[in-house]
Amino acid sequence: MADNLAPHWRLRAQRYQLVGNVCLKCDAKFFPPRQVCAKCRGTEFDLFQFSGRGELYSFTTLRSAPAGFEQYAPYSVGMIKLDEGPMVEAMLTDVNEDKLTIGMRVEMVTRKIREEDGERGLLVYGYKFRPSDA
Amino acid sequence: MRDVSIIGIGQTPVREHWEKDLRQLATAAVLAALQDAHVDQVDAIYVGNMLSGELTRQEHLGALIADQLGMSGVAAMKVEAACGAGGSAVHAGYLAIASGQYRRVAVVGVEKMTDLWNGSVTAGLAMAADGEYEAANGISFVGLNALMMRRYMYEYDLVEEDFAPFALNAHKNAVHNPNAMFRKSVTLEQFTKAKKVADPISLFDASPVCDGAAALILSRSENLNGNAARAVAIQASALATDTLALHDRQDPLWLRAVELSSIKAYAQAGVTPQDINLFELHDAFSIVAPMSLEAAGFAPRGAGTYLARDGGISLYGKLPISTMGGLKARGHPIGASGVYQVVEATQQLRGEAGKNQVPNARIAMTQSLGGVAATAATHILKGKN
Amino acid sequence: MKPKREVGIVGYGAYVPRYRIKASEIARVWGGADDGLPIEEKAVPGLDEDTITMSVEAARNALARAQIDPRTLRAVWVGSESHPYAVKPSSTLVAEALGASGAILAGDWQFACKAGTEAMQAAIALVGSEMTDYALAIGMDTAQGRPHDALEYTAGAGGGAYIMGPAENALAVLEGSYSYVTDTPDFFRRAYQHYPEHGNRFTGEPAYFAHTLAATQNFLELMQLTPRDFQWAIFHQPNAKFPLQAAAQLGFTRDQVAPGLLVNKIGNTYAGAALIGMTNVLDNAKPGDRILLVSFGSGAGSDAFSYVVTDKILERRDLAKRTAWYTARRELIDYARYARFRNKLVMN
């Protein structure tokens, strides 16, 4: 039997499409979506799909990976300031670490994030970011 | 509210304790604290711990430790707030007495980390951050701190070497602390040549994976059981929180929970940052030190590293920090660190810090942080002299 | 074959991963190639890429050019011989990522290198029968060749995605299509095997050439067209030699074939090969140009299509990254990194 199917499945809209939400009261946009607005504590929202475009706020390259990610190490991760406002953290792909700079334009791509349970388990897909001109 | 005092302290050395498990470490620390306080019973036990379930397949630490101490029957519970579990347990213990409910309680912080290999520990520690949006993207805890440090260096035009004084100071102070993990000083050259773990964070910017336990006996100040001469008063115990995920912060370079809990603590104790004689801060990574100094009001924004120049943070400096080695060199057994800080501050205020004694230490502050400072537990302690 | 309703390509998109390995590097490891190097270099997917992720990006490019709401798609079909799961569709994930899941057909196609054009035929039929307005067909592969096998030099990664829809909204209108299939065991991979087996020279004359030529010749005859009526022709390209040879035998010139011939730079992208040749042609074609697209899949069969480019292409082709953007980005890797990326290192 495979574990952890539902938790990954629940997040598919966030992982595959960067679906967050927007507060109907104060227009603040959130990724991931929230139940209570962090700005005005409003509780009514519309879903909002982010464009996936933004700029690199910060980055690093991990030499040793958490369990489940060993096969990808070393890999770079970053904080991305989306054009619509919110920040996301994600792995960076299709880029050599010496080319990373703060402020560089990046775009969302859908990639394999990890494999559950080696060759038997679920393949987990989600957002990563790459330089827009990569 | 009743006044609360520390009447006993105990600690195990911070090590890779291959021969000791979690219950042995915690029990040893509490026994030492009971002995130090010359008492043999408490009304309640608060266990600060983060990862016992994940790393040692053991939860329900309250009942476990009470049982191991031969105190089954007392109130006991685990307090978890990631790396801030220790400070949060002290806060819980403080409230238990301040509320009038209990007369005497034990607080013990314990973490047993070395039974699993590095990747599992890294994955465990990542649970301090947002599991679905940080850890699930392969971002480790050191990774989050590296993201902050890179941006901090960019904003304030700093280089890695500007952070060296924090690591060098911690290692220097650990030399004379028999309970510290790394009792060796580090040179600037070693620091600059150190291997990067997650650039710009190098090996000497990060605290180690280790085991340890530290304990306190807290009592109503009105009845100190003959411990009046050595008792240390808890003048403030303040907890505050920030967004769990770094990416949810309006300003990722400002530790809001540190600011809030510090302000609350200063108000409770009726002091200002200028009154603090030493500060045990949460230097799990070098970057956290300057950011804590800023948010706690010891340095202007972006100027935290300046404070560390020219021995400003040494035992004889303007604001001694990490006086027994800090998380960096004493070691950072996650849920225990916040209690070690209070134990060490008590040693300083009692005048029992040996070669690491801060001259004229009268008021000490400790600050235990959980996650990327999503929890901040600040304590202000006052000694007798 | 021609649908009742006029159908065309309303959106298309390419994908090629950024890593390349030179054929000469592979030859270095194995002490030289037997019959010279079949191509210059091939594209290699990164550690986080597979047919699903590559399909998603190509399909997003197609959607951007189609300028349609993804919820109007009624089919997402992915043709590949390298679906990441043996059981569980690639297509459902692709549909979800596009925002097209729900009231939609989805399925994975397998017909060696013809799986993508087979999906295209089906998408044409679905739209042409007026069952729906829009259907997405993808041909994408991260092909594997056994180390030291001739296929290792050519097995590349990439492909194309096509949204088929009503001709009024098309960038290129379908004139007709044809399919020619026999049972010819030139190349196969049994269940649970990592690498395919191939019949060496048996893959040539009785397989690639027999089907490619038969499909093209029969199709041209039915359509009453000759090679001179086409500005461009794309043939399946397992190596640099076969498509040029087939084109010559059919009477097409090198100039007609050149823009659709990417195998030398990205390798044989299997189910994606003919389709990504087509994306590059569409990137560069003029309104009015007639394009011949002929695939070949082992097992074996060929699909042939004739499209005429419309003037809508001028305003829509730059709404997504061009094929040349993908072929131009290039990070050269050595055999050691290639072995790591392609899961050829035995770790336990």
Side-chain angles (χ1 to χ4, degrees):
Chain A
M1 276 196 299
D3 278 333
N4 282 329
L5 301 183
H8 292 303
W9 168 78
R10 274 196 293 274
L11 295 172
R12 61 197 185 284
Q14 283 72 51
R15 296 248 179 97
Y16 302 163
Q17 296 191 82
L18 282 182
V19 173
N21 60 8
V22 53
C23 175
L24 294 182
K25 211 161 112 194
C26 75
D27 209 37
K29 295 184 181 73
F30 297 101
F31 184 84
R34 301 182 67 95
Q35 281 178 277
V36 178
C37 177
K39 291 229 171 78
C40 74
R41 297 186 69 191
T43 53
E44 288 185 75
F45 294 89
D46 272 342
L47 291 177
F48 182 87
Q49 185 175 352
F50 289 88
S51 67
R53 285 184 287 273
E55 64 173 53
L56 197 57
Y57 174 85
S58 190
F59 60 92
T60 183
T61 300
L62 304 182
R63 308 284 150 199
S64 61
F69 295 92
E70 301 93 338
Q71 67 184 105
Y72 307 109
Y75 56 86
S76 298
V77 300
M79 292 176 81
I80 295 96
K81 179 106 177 123
L82 296 173
D83 287 348
E84 298 90 344
M87 193 98 82
V88 292
E89 292 165 28
M91 288 198 209
L92 303 172
T93 192
D94 286 358
V95 64
N96 299 346
E97 56 177 299
D98 58 357
K99 293 283 186 287
L100 295 169
T101 53
I102 284 176
M104 81 190 296
R105 295 290 301 168
V106 293
E107 62 187 10
M108 188 271 277
V109 292
T110 303
R111 294 293 170 91
K112 191 164 67 183
I113 304 292
R114 63 176 289 184
E115 299 181 19
E116 289 272 356
D117 196 19
E119 297 208 335
R120 288 182 50 192
L122 186 74
L123 300 170
V124 180
Y125 296 88
Y127 51 83
K128 293 191 181 184
F129 284 78
R130 73 170 172 212
S132 298
D133 58 355
Chain B
M1 295 284 280
R2 290 163 191 272
D3 290 338
V4 182
S5 291
I6 299 163
I7 60 168
I9 55 174
Q11 59 184 317
T12 72
V14 177
R15 299 282 184 271
E16 291 172 322
H17 282 291
W18 304 116
E19 296 184 0
K20 292 198 175 71
D21 60 18
L22 182 144
R23 63 185 72 183
Q24 289 171 304
L25 292 167
T27 304
V30 180
L31 287 176
L34 288 167
Q35 194 180 9
D36 185 53
H38 309 290
V39 297
D40 57 11
Q41 188 62 38
V42 293
D43 303 324
I45 302 168
Y46 297 90
V47 185
N49 171 271
M50 176 186 177
L51 289 168
S52 66
E54 187 73 9
L55 301 185
T56 65
R57 317 305 309 163
Q58 180 69 60
E59 288 292 2
H60 209 171
L61 299 188
L64 173 72
I65 304 308
D67 179 16
Q68 292 295 309
L69 287 163
M71 290 192 201
S72 273
V74 302
M77 64 170 83
K78 166 169 164 171
V79 177
E80 192 275 314
C83 342
S88 301
V90 178
H91 183 64
Y94 169 89
L95 292 179
I97 292 177
S99 70
Q101 180 80 11
Y102 298 128
R103 293 167 183 276
R104 192 191 303 146
V105 306
V107 176
V108 56
V110 60
E111 205 75 52
K112 175 72 195 171
M113 302 176 75
T114 58
D115 280 353
L116 289 188
W117 63 280
N118 207 23
S120 299
V121 175
T122 306
L125 292 174
M127 298 193 301
D130 188 322
E132 292 183 350
Y133 293 95
E134 292 177 318
N137 283 323
I139 301 173
S140 62
F141 199 59
V142 56
L144 289 169
N145 282 278
L147 290 169
M148 277 200 308
M149 183 167 170
R150 162 115 41 211
R151 186 71 192 198
Y152 185 95
M153 289 164 63
Y154 170 85
E155 292 284 346
Y156 303 124
D157 199 17
L158 298 168
V159 296
E160 280 96 330
E161 258 184 60
D162 292 318
F163 297 82
F166 295 107
L168 269 51
N169 173 65
H171 276 269
K172 190 176 173 194
N173 291 344
V175 170
H176 297 293
N177 176 6
N179 293 308
M181 177 133 173
F182 297 130
R183 302 187 60 192
K184 263 193 198 160
S185 38
V186 170
T187 64
L188 182 60
E189 197 190 355
Q190 283 173 305
F191 178 89
T192 50
K193 284 188 174 163
K195 200 182 95 179
K196 297 285 188 213
V197 195
D199 55 310
I201 289 182
S202 79
L203 221 45
F204 285 121
D205 287 309
S207 51
V209 169
C210 52
D211 310 320
L216 305 169
I217 307 298
L218 305 184
S219 162
R220 290 184 184 175
S221 297
E222 67 207 36
N223 181 0
L224 295 169
N225 277 85
N227 289 299
R230 291 164 81 224
V232 163
I234 300 183
Q235 295 213 307
S237 177
L239 201 71
T241 54
D242 195 353
T243 67
L244 185 68
L246 186 59
H247 56 76
D248 280 336
R249 296 190 185 162
Q250 289 300 310
D251 181 354
L253 293 186
W254 186 251
L255 302 182
R256 175 109 174 107
V258 167
E259 179 187 25
L260 291 176
S261 84
S262 300
I263 289 171
K264 282 197 236 182
Y266 295 139
Q268 275 178 36
V271 299
T272 67
Q274 287 70 41
D275 299 319
I276 305 296
N277 301 129
L278 67 107
F279 183 23
E280 293 299 336
L281 51 68
H282 189 91
D283 54 344
F285 298 95
S286 297
I287 177 64
V288 184
M291 289 178 71
S292 292
L293 291 170
E294 293 163 26
F298 293 103
R301 196 183 161 132
T305 58
Y306 307 166
L307 206 67
R309 293 175 182 168
D310 310 319
I313 55 171
S314 77
L315 297 174
Y316 313 104
K318 190 171 164 232
L319 180 70
I321 69 170
S322 308
T323 66
M324 303 299 279
L327 278 61
K328 173 72 204 75
R330 173 239 297 130
H332 181 24
I334 307 300
S337 290
V339 185
Y340 272 100
Q341 291 175 324
V342 177
V343 165
E344 290 160 355
T346 302
Q347 288 177 305
Q348 290 286 3
L349 296 175
R350 284 177 177 180
E352 295 174 359
K355 289 189 173 169
N356 285 0
Q357 185 62 49
V358 171
N360 307 316
R362 213 173 67 83
I363 298 177
M365 183 155 113
T366 69
Q367 198 163 64
S368 171
L369 306 183
V372 186
T375 294
T378 305
H379 287 90
I380 294 175
L381 312 178
K382 192 176 169 199
K384 293 286 172 214
N385 52 340
Chain C
M1 297 185 286
K2 199 160 168 32
K4 275 193 175 165
R5 168 158 75 155
E6 292 278 315
V7 174
I9 295 166
V10 301
Y12 69 93
Y15 188 78
V16 185
R18 80 188 272 257
Y19 301 100
R20 302 284 183 279
I21 185 167
K22 284 185 165 294
S24 59
E25 168 69 1
I26 296 172
R28 179 183 70 81
V29 170
W30 299 114
D34 292 343
D35 311 311
L37 300 175
I39 58 168
E40 229 173 274
E41 58 192 42
K42 67 174 190 175
V44 180
L47 281 166
D48 58 359
E49 296 188 284
D50 59 25
T51 290
I52 289 178
T53 66
M54 292 161 58
S55 294
V56 168
E57 181 156 346
R60 285 190 177 131
N61 286 335
L63 263 179
R65 289 194 174 99
Q67 292 285 290
I68 60 166
D69 183 335
R71 287 169 299 187
T72 60
L73 283 174
R74 282 294 167 268
V76 171
W77 287 324
V78 182
S80 179
E81 64 109 76
S82 49
H83 291 290
Y85 288 96
V87 177
K88 187 198 174 297
S90 302
S91 50
T92 50
L93 206 155
V94 174
E96 193 78 52
L98 297 178
S101 64
I104 194 165
L105 288 157
D108 292 0
W109 299 67
Q110 186 276 110
F111 190 148
C113 302
K114 190 171 97 73
T117 51
E118 188 82 23
M120 181 183 264
Q121 294 275 31
I124 289 166
L126 201 71
V127 177
S129 67
E130 298 188 346
M131 281 175 73
T132 182
D133 281 341
Y134 297 106
L136 170 63
I138 300 171
M140 192 66 65
D141 257 309
T142 57
Q144 286 270 32
R146 189 191 307 280
H148 202 184
D149 187 271
L151 290 183
E152 188 180 25
Y153 290 94
T154 54
Y162 290 82
I163 295 172
M164 308 308 296
E168 312 86 83
N169 189 24
L171 312 175
V173 172
L174 178 84
E175 289 191 304
S177 69
Y178 181 77
S179 198
Y180 182 86
V181 168
T182 72
D183 183 37
T184 305
D186 59 315
F187 168 106
F188 51 79
R189 177 163 65 82
R190 293 274 302 275
Y192 309 114
Q193 296 299 302
H194 284 297
Y195 301 114
E197 304 297 325
H198 62 86
N200 207 342
R201 291 182 57 76
F202 182 61
T203 61
E205 209 55 56
Y208 178 86
F209 289 102
H211 295 82
T212 303
L213 299 186
T216 310
Q217 282 160 345
N218 295 350
F219 180 53
L220 293 183
E221 198 176 315
L222 287 167
M223 297 295 294
Q224 298 185 320
L225 292 168
T226 68
R228 280 193 305 280
D229 296 320
F230 292 89
Q231 273 66 44
W232 316 110
I234 302 113
F235 295 98
H236 177 58
Q237 35 206 276
N239 53 46
K241 203 165 69 182
F242 278 21
L244 286 174
Q245 210 174 310
Q249 286 185 41
L250 289 162
F252 288 89
T253 66
R254 263 178 181 265
D255 289 347
Q256 281 171 294
V257 179
L261 200 58
L262 304 178
V263 62
N264 222 10
K265 296 293 183 191
I266 64 172
N268 177 7
T269 57
Y270 284 55
L275 291 179
I276 195 170
M278 179 78 176
T279 63
N280 197 45
V281 168
L282 288 171
D283 283 343
N284 295 292
K286 299 182 305 295
D289 285 359
R290 178 179 281 124
I291 303 169
L292 176 71
L293 169 67
V294 183
S295 68
F296 167 74
S298 289
S302 278
D303 293 315
F305 307 81
S306 174
Y307 288 101
V308 176
V309 178
T310 73
D311 49 14
K312 291 196 173 60
I313 200 150
L314 299 176
E315 65 205 45
R316 300 230 297 263
R317 69 177 155 207
D318 284 317
L319 296 175
K321 292 186 169 75
R322 288 187 177 212
T323 313
W325 185 89
Y326 290 101
T327 52
R329 68 174 188 159
R330 179 172 169 277
E331 169 82 2
L332 208 56
I333 58 174
D334 61 9
Y335 197 90
R337 281 183 86 195
Y338 167 72
R340 181 182 175 207
F341 282 11
R342 297 309 281 144
N343 208 16
K344 293 180 197 300
L345 293 173
V346 178
M347 306 281 274
N348 46 10

